[in-house]
Amino acid sequence: MPPLIAAMISLGVLGAIDTYITATVFPVPVWVTFIAWASFFACGGGQQGLVKSIVSNWTGIIIASITLLIIQFGPEHPIFAAILVGAGTSAMVLVSAIPILNFPPAIVFGFASLVGTTAATGTTVTTSGLNHPTMVAMAAMLLGGVFGLLSEIGTNLLAGKKPATA
């Protein structure tokens, strides 16, 4: 089967499954899973891309969580929030010196996904329990990365490609 058709089928079917799962049994923001899915491919795909993507996404989420926590307990002024977001951005660039984190966009995907998750769920980084936005965003990023890997495997199977060996 042509690779484009194989990808269309694999990603289409898994996109529907992802949407159903996040709407029913695993209620995390579906858009975060799709960002993580794209991040998986942007990080090169395969098992290495999965690890790199998840570690990078989670690093961005942690940096965002710290940034939002400081903002929440600091002065309520836009300049304070702006300075802290700037510091968080600088931290994302700095950690990209670590080899597994050397694709800064994947870190930014995590940062933005956490900020969006807090807005979409109406929660803050001081929320307790399983609906803590940091945990929700991390779980969604993990799920999206796994869907990325599954879609790559499905595409290769449908296209008749043999998986690459490590």
Side-chain angles (χ1 to χ4, degrees):
M1 169 179 308
L4 181 62
I5 302 301
M8 177 193 73
I9 294 168
S10 178
L11 276 78
V13 168
L14 289 170
I17 293 169
D18 180 17
T19 302
Y20 180 79
I21 287 172
T22 59
T24 58
V25 296
F26 196 60
V28 296
V30 70
W31 52 269
V32 175
T33 67
F34 275 67
I35 290 169
W37 196 331
S39 179
F40 161 81
F41 284 107
C43 286
Q47 291 178 351
Q48 289 180 337
L50 178 64
V51 171
K52 182 176 191 162
S53 181
I54 291 170
V55 170
S56 296
N57 297 159
W58 284 6
T59 298
I61 290 169
I62 291 166
I63 293 170
S65 295
I66 293 166
T67 301
L68 291 177
L69 187 63
I70 296 169
I71 289 170
Q72 184 158 350
F73 289 107
E76 290 186 32
H77 196 282
I79 192 71
F80 181 69
I83 289 168
L84 283 168
V85 170
T89 301
S90 294
M92 288 186 280
V93 172
L94 183 62
V95 298
S96 72
I98 300 168
I100 196 164
L101 300 173
N102 68 358
F103 185 64
I107 301 168
V108 174
F109 298 156
F111 190 104
S113 291
L114 182 271
V115 173
T117 297
T118 63
T121 61
T123 57
T124 69
V125 292
T126 59
T127 300
S128 61
L130 291 177
N131 63 340
H132 190 286
T134 300
M135 301 304 293
V136 170
M138 286 179 138
M141 285 286 194
L142 177 61
L143 181 63
V146 169
F147 269 103
L149 181 63
L150 291 173
S151 68
E152 180 181 70
I153 291 168
T155 298
N156 288 340
L157 286 171
L158 291 171
K161 292 183 185 176
K162 294 188 182 199
T165 57

